[in-house]
Amino acid sequence: MTKTLVKVPFRADHVGSFLRPDNLHAARKDFEAGKISGEALREIETKEIKRIVDKQIEAGLQTVTDGEFRRSWWHLDFLENLNGIEGYEKEKGYIFEGIETDKHHIRNLGKISFDPDHFFIKDFKDFKEIVGDRAIPKQTIPSPNQLFEAGIRNPDIYPDIDEYANDIIKTYQDAIKAFYDAGVRYLQLDDVYIAGLSSPDFQLTEGGYSREQLIDLALRVVNGALENKPEDLYVTTHLCRGNYRSTWAFTGSYAEIAPTLFAKEKVDGFFLEYDDERSGSFEPLKYVPEGGARVVIGAVTSKFGKLEDKEEIKARIKAASEFVPLEQLCLSPQCGFASTHHGNELTEDEQWAKLKYIVDLSKEIWG
């Protein structure tokens, strides 16, 4: 795989996570209770990853993921295994619309760096072997900006946020090189933090910094992390407003971040949530340079199983094309189907039907 990935992201693409089957839930509980070994758990995970790779290919997708089946959270499993970060249990979980999440979180306890033995590297190598040459294996990881979430940085270790940012950049440069060396050619950065900076619900937590300064810092961190990216590594950013058991964390259009992020972030594509009125208008897309990053319109919700009206989806793509040329647009679910191990409120059959629907719609729209 080299320049053959020039069309990433694909016309029909997806964010990455899938509903965990009951036997995987049961195996993880048995492992945590000491009833089965880590090797036995991994065998079950591998079996289920093989199954969902087949299901993605059957749906007609050109890129596949491992469904994030070896992790519990879309971000914490990766971040808490960086040097200088640890997982712990908070007094309260994240607050979503009408629900509080589990209380697991991360915090900074030392200088941050990438662990070359990070288990995500082995996981990808095994996943890539499962996929073979049947599709493009996509690796998803949290954006480096997730480490700027309130309460993570330890001011005793990093009194200066710029020093913190510089270590995060170096950490992700090393991580990206390790993934590339493992065979990754399609990498997705999931970024809730910067999407939050565009929300009226966002509370500034860094004293003395304006929203605009934090947006500029977030851009610098991602572009810095990608500074040494190989030419044949394609990177996308998924901007998410929260996804936990079919609920959401915040509202707001992309207007606040668009002039900076859409215009200047050096990625090959943006996965954007456009499945309901919380998303705002398509007007912020005018900042995406023509001929630049592809824009993946997440007009199909992953939160519920009912299929959207075909003509409504086509109309939304047409509306988006008033700001970004049609040939620069793609279609996907607005988020993953299970950003955490709990999963969204739909069935597996509905999940696969959604993906097949997106593939079929993309053929009708783009040919």
Side-chain angles (χ1 to χ4, degrees):
M1 291 182 295
T2 54
K3 298 302 287 185
T4 56
L5 295 194
V6 73
K7 293 184 179 179
V8 167
F10 296 98
R11 294 296 185 202
D13 215 312
H14 63 117
V15 172
S17 62
F18 291 115
L19 298 171
R20 277 57 155 185
D22 290 342
N23 66 321
L24 186 51
H25 283 301
R28 193 166 294 280
K29 287 180 181 178
D30 286 345
F31 170 71
E32 291 170 355
K35 295 180 180 178
I36 64 172
S37 66
E39 291 79 8
L41 172 61
R42 190 170 185 88
E43 285 182 12
I44 294 169
E45 291 170 342
T46 299
K47 178 183 177 181
E48 290 303 328
I49 290 169
K50 288 178 178 178
R51 181 180 67 86
I52 63 163
V53 165
D54 291 344
K55 294 288 286 186
Q56 291 169 78
I57 293 170
E58 287 171 13
L61 291 163
Q62 294 174 271
T63 186
V64 299
T65 73
D66 66 358
E68 302 179 3
F69 276 15
R70 299 199 198 275
R71 41 181 140 162
S72 295
W73 296 74
W74 64 275
H75 59 325
L76 299 181
D77 299 70
F78 178 80
L79 296 174
E80 70 184 358
N81 285 283
L82 299 175
N83 296 327
I85 300 292
E86 69 171 358
Y88 74 108
E89 303 305 309
K90 292 180 66 175
E91 292 184 5
K92 292 184 177 181
Y94 300 98
I95 303 302
F96 276 60
E97 178 67 12
I99 193 171
E100 179 182 329
T101 73
D102 288 356
K103 297 175 175 58
H104 194 63
H105 199 45
I106 57 169
R107 60 190 172 196
N108 170 217
L109 77 164
K111 292 291 186 179
I112 299 172
S113 64
F114 183 69
D115 180 356
D117 294 323
H118 198 298
F119 73 93
F120 269 45
I121 303 301
K122 173 177 168 48
D123 287 353
F124 179 79
K125 289 178 180 178
D126 290 350
F127 168 56
K128 185 174 183 292
E129 188 173 334
I130 289 169
V131 178
D133 60 0
R134 296 179 295 161
I136 305 301
K138 176 164 75 169
Q139 175 68 45
T140 64
I141 60 172
S143 165
N145 287 324
Q146 290 307 126
L147 288 167
F148 289 95
E149 186 184 321
I152 296 177
R153 177 170 67 96
N154 185 334
D156 293 331
I157 298 168
Y158 288 107
D160 180 5
I161 195 172
D162 286 318
E163 181 187 355
Y164 184 63
N166 290 337
D167 278 2
I168 291 171
I169 289 170
K170 179 62 167 61
T171 298
Y172 266 75
Q173 287 177 346
D174 292 345
I176 289 168
K177 183 180 186 305
F179 279 120
Y180 182 83
D181 291 345
V184 174
R185 295 298 181 269
Y186 185 1
L187 180 69
Q188 177 179 296
L189 305 175
D190 295 316
D191 203 330
V192 173
Y193 173 80
I194 200 168
L197 288 175
S198 200
S199 170
D201 305 327
F202 183 82
Q203 300 296 316
L204 298 181
T205 57
E206 293 290 348
Y209 289 87
S210 68
R211 185 186 301 263
E212 291 72 24
Q213 287 173 317
L214 292 176
I215 292 171
D216 287 342
L217 178 63
L219 176 73
R220 179 170 80 81
V221 167
V222 172
N223 283 349
L226 298 176
E227 186 175 356
N228 302 319
K229 178 185 76 67
E231 186 181 355
D232 63 335
L233 173 63
Y234 293 81
V235 180
T236 58
T237 288
H238 169 229
L239 300 178
C240 176
R241 299 182 179 89
N243 186 46
Y244 181 83
R245 292 183 168 182
S246 294
T247 63
W248 45 270
F250 52 85
T251 64
S253 78
Y254 297 114
E256 291 282 350
I257 59 176
T260 300
L261 188 75
F262 291 171
K264 300 176 184 177
E265 189 172 77
K266 296 177 181 179
V267 293
D268 299 289
F270 294 102
F271 282 78
L272 304 180
E273 298 196 336
Y274 274 111
D275 61 323
D276 61 23
E277 65 280 354
R278 288 185 303 111
S279 308
S281 75
F282 291 115
E283 187 173 2
L285 300 184
K286 68 185 180 183
Y287 292 101
V288 178
E290 186 170 346
R294 282 192 168 190
V295 177
V296 189
I297 303 298
V300 175
T301 190
S302 68
K303 297 184 186 298
F304 305 104
K306 182 180 178 181
L307 292 179
E308 289 80 354
D309 180 82
K310 181 188 296 187
E311 297 307 317
E312 287 184 11
I313 299 298
K314 289 182 176 179
R316 289 184 70 71
I317 296 296
K318 183 177 180 181
S321 71
E322 295 178 13
F323 302 97
V324 175
L326 181 63
E327 60 268 21
Q328 210 169 320
L329 296 176
C330 306
L331 179 65
S332 78
Q334 114 285 343
C335 197
F337 292 94
S339 298
T340 69
H341 65 89
H342 313 84
N344 283 345
E345 303 299 323
L346 73 166
T347 66
E348 269 209 49
D349 286 344
E350 289 171 332
Q351 166 185 270
W352 300 121
K354 288 256 178 180
L355 289 174
K356 181 67 165 59
Y357 192 54
I358 287 168
V359 170
D360 293 343
L361 270 173
S362 71
K363 292 175 181 177
E364 290 188 29
I365 295 170
W366 289 282

